[in-house]
């Protein structure tokens, strides 16, 4: 093995405290070349899966200090895409000289995968800590793909070259993170929800909220999430009024919440956690604890290293559950705490790092809300998908992409792959008032493997629109165990996941977003008794392949109306399923 680390032009890479040196890897890891800056150990976990640990070189009685780097290369052969959890991060192959990405508690997750033909794992990795600098890319000189991860102090990386479906490799890496991070996800976190944001924006009143909650309950929406606008009577957007969190637009709040509960609907409330607005009363007291100024937002981001900041924010958020009877919180903008070069902490700070303060802040919010309501929920959002945040949340939502079905699908799938125990929610679904029922169904099919959030004025939906909405929300609810907890099998990340499947106990669900055949055999679809095929493509011809025997087929249109029944062959059968429709196969 030759040390070739100095052959790559890396204009953005930081220096390391020690030169990477070659380290032997077991033959089961495949054609992997490993170099480590620091003291290295390698452990075999399974066929094609190793764990590499690096520690700083020992320089005396005080032990080793400084950064370590774990670096490895693999031939970039039969590769189709590079996967990462960053929004819009999947598909292309980056170059080795690109700027590395920095992950932290509040930004990103330390995981990535190189995916090959057939959706196989060419090389996937994850680290044991959130705060790392990581790089991955094509080496132009050699045609190899090179990874490196750097951090201060001890670092462990798991590397998977097993050739399994990349979803299985990522799920196993997420399971590694789950160990020691107990998370309880209430049932309600996995059921469809209504959000006021796109439908109402800041136009929040008790009457409008209660009306949408009542209409949503009829359609199968068990939770309402009230977004921005409840804490101010100003309707000009921006965040200048954040910080006091007084319910100016929701007077007599506890009674209002009780009325929503009487409908059988749970209630969550939005908070832009880091912001203290320049028009808030809290500004005078807390603006001196500024982490970073955000003048275009009309606010500052406050520094959680200070006990005064944490005490104020915890009390403001917890009272929604403790005093008003809310069922949870939508905690927004946590990623704004991820400042790369924060100011030095002042004498009142009790934490050296912002992440330490953020841990304390989120932990206390979670402790208080669970103490008041054990089944309470907390929503986080991309890009803050770090496993370090799992104990403080119950669900994570795809980052905003209004009216972009494909983008919503990709963000839901990418988040699902490494969300561990958390429920994954779609960005809120909205559409033009004249949207046909078929396209509304396609919006829902695109987020079928997450929890759909709806954000349209339900009072103005046509009968056909309401039927499509109710039908597909019903599918989501009826098959929640398979869709959200089954074995997750997205296909072709290089093409934006044109087909996605989930295998449960006797039930398999496949969503088809392009004119592709549907495999019905055991290897692809599991030991199913019922196989659902959701068609979001304009081509109605669903070709069945790879199975044995026949099945009874029922076809429903976008509104849930049965349009055909037949007996079909599982290898070569062709079934017409209209756009936005559902094919249900039951073994004979």
């Amino acid at each position: 093995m030759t040390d070739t680390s100095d052959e790559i032009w890396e204009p953005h890479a930081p220096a390391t405290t020690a030169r990477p040196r070659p380290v032997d890897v077991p033959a089961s890891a495949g054609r992997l070349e490993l170099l480590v800056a620091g003291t290295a150990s390698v452990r075999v976990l399974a066929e094609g899966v190793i764990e590499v640990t690096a520690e700083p070189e020992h320089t005396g009685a005080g032990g080793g200090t400084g950064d370590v780097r774990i670096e490895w290369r693999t031939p970039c052969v039969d590769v189709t895409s590079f996967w990462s959890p960053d929004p819009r991060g999947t598909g292309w192959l980056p170059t080795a000289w690109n700027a590395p990405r920095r992950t932290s508690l509040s930004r990103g997750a330390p995981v990535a995968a190189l995916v090959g033909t057939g959706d196989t794992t060419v090389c996937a990795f994850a680290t044991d800590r959130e705060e790392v600098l990581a790089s991955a890319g094509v080496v132009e000189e050699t045609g190899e793909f090179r990874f490196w991860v750097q951090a201060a102090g001890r670092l462990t990386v798991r590397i998977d070259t097993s050739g399994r479906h990349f979803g299985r490799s990522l799920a196993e890496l997420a399971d590694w993170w789950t160990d020691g991070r107990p998370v309880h996800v209430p049932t309600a976190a996995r059921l469809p929800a209504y959000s006021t944001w796109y439908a109402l924006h800041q136009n929040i009143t008790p009457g409008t909220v209660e009306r949408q909650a009542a209409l949503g309950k009829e359609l199968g929406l068990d939770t309402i999430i009230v977004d921005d606008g409840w804490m101010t009577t100003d309707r000009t957007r921006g965040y200048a009024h954040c910080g006091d969190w007084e319910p100016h637009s929701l007077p007599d709040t506890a009674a209002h919440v009780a009325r929503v509960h009487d409908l059988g609907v749970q209630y969550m409330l939005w908070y832009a956690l880091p912001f203290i607005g320049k028009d808030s009363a809290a500004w005078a007291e807390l603006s001196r604890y500024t982490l970073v100024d955000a003048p275009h937002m009309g606010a500052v981001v406050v520094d959680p290293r200070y006990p005064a900041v944490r005490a104020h924010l915890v009390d403001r958020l917890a009272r929604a559950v403790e005093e008003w009877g809310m069922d949870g919180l939508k905690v927004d903008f946590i990623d704004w705490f991820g400042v790369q070069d924060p100011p030095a902490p002042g004498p009142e700070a009790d934490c050296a790092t912002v992440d330490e303060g953020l841990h304390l802040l989120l932990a206390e919010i979670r402790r208080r809300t669970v103490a008041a309501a054990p089944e309470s929920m907390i929503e986080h959002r991309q890009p803050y998908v770090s496993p370090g945040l799992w104990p403080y949340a119950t669900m994570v939502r795809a980052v905003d992409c209004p009216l972009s079905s494909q983008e919503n699908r990709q963000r839901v799938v990418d988040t699902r792959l490494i969300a561990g125990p958390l429920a994954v929610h779609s960005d809120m679904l909205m559409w033009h008032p004249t949207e046909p029922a078929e396209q509304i169904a396609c919006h829902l099919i695109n987020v079928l493997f997450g929890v759909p959030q709806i954000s349209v004025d339900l009072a103005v939906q046509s009968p056909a629109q309401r039927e499509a909405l109710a039908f597909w929300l019903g599918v989501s609810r009826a098959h929640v165990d398979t869709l959200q907890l089954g074995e997750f099998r997205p296909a072709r990340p290089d093409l934006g996941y044109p087909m996605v499947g989930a295998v449960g106990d006797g039930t398999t669900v496949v969503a088809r977003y392009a004119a592709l055949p549907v495999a019905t055999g055991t290897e692809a679809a599991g030991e199913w008794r019922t196989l659902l095929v959701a068609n979001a493509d304009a081509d109605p011809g669903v070709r069945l392949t790879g199975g044995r025997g026949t099945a009874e087929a029922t076809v429903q249109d976008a509104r849930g109306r049965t349009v055909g029944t037949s007996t079909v062959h599982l290898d070569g059968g062709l079934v017409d399923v209209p756009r936005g429709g559902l094919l249900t196969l039951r073994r004979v």
Side-chain angles (χ1 to χ4, degrees):
M1 184 183 299
T2 303
D3 180 0
T4 57
S5 61
D6 58 349
E7 297 176 5
I8 300 173
W9 181 61
E10 290 187 288
H12 307 286
T16 55
T17 56
R19 181 179 176 82
R21 295 189 298 270
V23 175
D24 290 334
V25 296
S28 63
R31 297 164 65 187
L32 200 65
E33 188 176 353
L34 178 66
L35 299 98
V36 177
T39 302
S41 63
V42 179
R43 186 163 68 103
V44 177
L45 301 179
E47 185 71 22
V49 183
I50 62 172
E51 190 172 273
V52 183
T53 297
E55 299 187 56
E57 300 280 1
H58 286 267
T59 56
T65 60
D67 286 352
V68 296
R69 179 185 288 190
I70 299 173
E71 180 181 317
W72 64 101
R73 297 188 190 187
T74 188
C76 197
V77 175
D78 223 3
V79 166
T80 60
S81 64
F82 176 73
W83 179 93
S84 84
D86 302 327
R88 300 301 300 268
T90 297
W92 72 302
L93 298 182
T95 56
W97 48 262
N98 270 348
R101 65 188 181 104
R102 187 178 299 275
T103 64
S104 66
L105 180 66
S106 57
R107 285 181 180 265
V111 61
L114 191 62
V115 182
T117 299
D119 301 322
T120 57
T121 301
V122 176
C123 187
F125 83 91
T127 72
D128 68 336
R129 49 191 288 188
E130 290 87 26
E131 308 85 4
V132 300
L133 193 66
S135 176
V138 173
V139 180
E140 297 173 357
E141 292 83 356
T142 65
E144 296 172 299
F145 201 87
R146 176 184 186 241
F147 301 82
W148 59 258
V149 183
Q150 182 172 319
R154 190 175 188 273
L155 173 67
T156 297
V157 177
R158 286 197 176 183
I159 302 172
D160 184 330
T161 58
S162 64
R164 297 174 290 177
H165 189 283
F166 79 102
R168 289 185 179 178
S169 294
L170 291 171
E172 188 171 287
L173 292 171
D175 286 343
W176 176 44
W177 286 337
T178 303
D179 186 33
R181 303 182 198 265
V183 177
H184 171 61
V185 178
T187 300
R190 299 194 182 276
L191 296 177
Y194 183 87
S195 168
T196 61
W197 179 237
Y198 293 142
L200 302 176
H201 284 104
Q202 290 186 312
N203 300 309
I204 300 297
T205 68
T208 56
V209 171
E210 291 165 28
R211 186 181 192 193
Q212 297 301 324
L215 293 169
K217 181 64 177 179
E218 294 175 2
L219 296 171
L221 299 168
D222 289 315
T223 298
I224 190 164
I225 304 172
V226 172
D227 211 289
D228 193 356
W230 65 270
M231 74 298 178
T232 177
T233 56
D234 183 271
R235 298 295 182 250
T236 57
R237 305 276 284 265
Y239 299 89
H241 297 277
C242 293
D244 299 334
W245 301 114
E246 295 293 343
H248 295 296
S249 293
L250 295 175
D252 200 5
T253 312
H256 160 63
V257 173
R259 291 193 295 272
V260 171
H261 283 164
D262 288 344
L263 299 170
V265 176
Q266 299 205 46
Y267 201 131
M268 296 177 66
L269 199 59
W270 171 88
Y271 289 84
L273 181 64
F275 297 143
I276 297 297
K278 295 181 178 180
D279 293 335
S280 70
W283 176 266
E285 177 188 355
L286 297 179
S287 60
R288 62 195 178 99
Y289 302 116
T290 293
L291 180 64
V292 62
D293 193 7
H296 63 296
M297 308 288 271
V300 297
V301 175
V302 287
D303 193 334
R305 291 177 290 185
Y306 294 90
V309 168
R310 298 197 304 271
H312 175 84
L313 294 178
V314 169
D315 283 343
R316 295 294 92 187
L317 271 68
R319 71 173 179 163
V321 179
E322 294 171 342
E323 298 177 23
W324 302 333
M326 300 284 183
D327 302 287
L329 312 173
K330 174 177 179 174
V331 182
D332 213 348
F333 297 110
I334 288 175
D335 49 317
W336 282 70
F337 287 117
V339 178
Q340 185 165 337
D341 296 306
E348 295 178 60
D350 63 354
C351 300
T353 69
V354 174
D355 279 359
E356 289 178 72
L358 184 55
H359 270 296
L360 293 172
L361 171 62
L362 297 176
E364 185 61 10
I365 291 171
R366 189 65 182 139
R367 186 193 69 78
R368 291 267 296 269
T369 55
V370 168
E375 294 297 295
S376 62
M377 299 173 281
I378 291 184
E379 179 190 284
H380 287 178
R381 172 181 56 80
Q382 280 181 310
Y384 43 99
V385 294
S386 165
L389 295 176
W390 290 355
Y392 316 132
T394 58
M395 59 250 240
V396 57
R397 178 176 65 80
V399 74
D400 303 35
C401 51
L403 252 176
S404 300
S405 294
Q406 191 278 338
E407 192 70 21
N408 215 348
R409 173 174 83 243
Q410 182 158 332
R411 292 177 181 186
V412 166
V413 171
D414 285 345
T415 306
R416 270 289 309 271
L417 284 164
I418 48 89
L422 301 187
V424 173
H425 284 231
S426 72
D427 183 39
M428 294 79 73
L429 301 183
M430 57 161 289
W431 48 81
H432 190 272
T434 62
E435 191 81 282
E438 291 77 12
Q439 185 61 18
I440 290 171
C442 289
H443 282 300
L444 285 152
I445 294 170
N446 271 277
V447 300
L448 189 59
F449 299 90
V451 180
Q453 286 192 17
I454 308 302
S455 191
V456 293
D457 184 352
L458 298 174
V460 301
Q461 302 301 298
S462 70
Q465 290 172 323
R466 290 175 58 83
E467 287 173 8
L469 188 52
F471 173 59
W472 281 104
L473 290 176
V475 172
S476 294
R477 295 170 63 90
H479 299 285
V480 62
D481 287 344
T482 298
L483 290 169
Q484 296 185 43
L485 300 173
E487 183 182 345
F488 192 44
R489 296 182 178 180
R492 299 300 301 272
D494 53 314
L495 299 179
Y497 307 117
M499 185 173 289
V500 181
V503 178
D505 184 11
T507 298
T508 295
V509 181
V510 175
R512 175 181 180 266
Y513 308 104
L516 298 173
V518 175
T520 62
T522 300
E523 183 176 349
E527 296 283 355
W528 60 272
R529 296 184 298 274
T530 302
L531 173 61
L532 307 182
V533 181
N535 182 37
D537 189 71
D539 183 349
V542 176
R543 176 75 63 181
L544 308 177
T545 64
R548 294 183 178 181
T550 60
E552 296 298 327
T554 301
V555 178
Q556 294 166 280
D557 68 8
R559 297 158 63 179
R561 301 173 300 184
T562 299
V563 295
T565 58
S566 62
T567 300
V568 298
H569 291 278
L570 296 176
D571 189 12
L574 182 65
V575 186
D576 277 351
V577 182
R579 180 168 70 101
L582 177 67
L583 166 64
T584 302
L585 299 173
R586 294 182 175 87
R587 289 195 183 275
V588 176

